Amino acid sequence: MEEEQKNQERPIGKDPDEILVAVLGETLKSRRQELGLSMERLSQLSSVSRGMLGLIESGKTTPSIGILWKLSKALRLPIGEMIPDLFAQAPRFVPKSEGKFWKSPKTKVESRVILQEDKDRLLIVEWKLEGAKVTQFSHLPTMHHLKIIQSSGESTIRLGNREFVLQSGDSLFFPQSDLESIETKGKESSEFIWIGTKKAR
């Protein structure tokens, strides 16, 4: 019963550790691309294997402090800037009643901003769609890179002339400038977490 209660108090559908790893991976990927480095070149500069870099950037593993230190030097990015203060000061409970809510007046689309870090460097949004298509995202700050983590249901994401179908547990990284639409068909309910990051300065 106690474990059940703890699960109900979690602010979002994904485990907090998974969100941390996803944000870390996206931050490192964004910084690497900003510097114009390929994974192979970063591997050479940092002495971290290409395979490990791929796992870190895709949010599939948590790097050791030693690896973070190597990447920090190679990317000229302080370790403190790799992980938002939100996680450094954990635990931080965010009740469902908090956050910036938005609801479409025309379709069954809702979003809730769970975190909007200072200077808009990091944005975490919870989305819910039901038989709807979203093509306008002007109510949210424009980010550089996005990662969408599908929590439940299914979403079709259109990036230019490409389409990606995400099912529960799937993730997708992409530049926000490529995003054309997010859609769920029929009466199916779709929920996902949107993590947006800006280029490190």
Side-chain angles (χ1 to χ4, degrees):
M1 180 66 72
E2 184 179 345
E3 183 62 30
E4 227 175 76
Q5 185 176 355
K6 284 181 182 177
N7 288 336
Q8 290 173 353
E9 290 175 353
R10 287 179 180 169
I12 53 180
K14 301 293 288 184
D15 186 279
D17 289 343
E18 292 181 51
I19 299 296
L20 185 152
V21 173
V23 171
L24 175 61
E26 182 61 19
T27 300
L28 295 177
K29 179 181 178 182
S30 178
R31 178 59 172 171
R32 174 178 64 77
Q33 293 178 335
E34 179 188 0
L35 295 176
L37 299 174
S38 65
M39 278 197 183
E40 287 75 13
R41 181 55 180 155
L42 179 56
S43 177
Q44 293 171 356
L45 292 172
S46 64
S47 298
V48 176
S49 73
R50 168 67 172 75
M52 175 58 71
L53 289 176
L55 291 173
I56 294 171
E57 287 193 1
S58 61
K60 294 179 179 176
T61 191
T62 305
S64 67
I65 189 65
I67 289 177
L68 283 180
W69 178 249
K70 291 178 180 179
L71 293 175
S72 173
K73 290 192 294 182
L75 294 170
R76 304 193 299 279
L77 181 67
I79 290 180
E81 292 187 20
M82 294 180 179
I83 305 174
D85 288 344
L86 169 74
F87 302 110
Q89 297 170 1
R92 176 178 171 184
F93 173 65
V94 182
K96 290 183 178 180
S97 57
E98 287 187 11
K100 181 181 177 183
F101 287 85
W102 175 82
K103 186 174 183 178
S104 170
K106 298 179 180 180
T107 56
K108 292 185 178 180
V109 178
E110 298 179 13
S111 70
R112 177 172 71 105
V113 176
I114 297 171
L115 171 69
Q116 187 170 345
E117 201 183 48
D118 291 343
K119 300 180 182 178
D120 291 335
R121 285 188 54 196
L122 173 68
L123 183 73
I124 301 179
V125 185
E126 181 182 54
W127 284 84
K128 295 181 181 179
L129 285 69
E130 186 178 327
K133 182 176 183 178
V134 186
T135 58
Q136 297 292 328
F137 307 92
S138 56
H139 66 291
L140 296 172
T142 299
M143 309 304 286
H144 184 65
H145 281 101
L146 291 181
K147 178 174 185 180
I148 287 181
I149 306 172
Q150 191 72 30
S151 303
S152 65
E154 181 180 293
S155 294
T156 300
I157 300 177
R158 186 169 184 82
L159 307 176
N161 60 359
R162 296 172 296 168
E163 279 192 355
F164 299 85
V165 177
L166 271 64
Q167 297 181 334
S168 182
D170 291 340
S171 301
L172 181 65
F173 289 90
F174 54 93
Q176 184 170 346
S177 57
D178 290 354
L179 179 60
E180 289 194 3
S181 65
I182 302 177
E183 180 179 11
T184 181
K185 298 176 181 178
K187 294 184 178 180
E188 182 184 12
S189 177
S190 172
E191 298 185 11
F192 58 87
I193 301 298
W194 156 304
I195 300 175
T197 56
K198 282 191 175 179
K199 286 184 178 181
R201 294 177 182 176

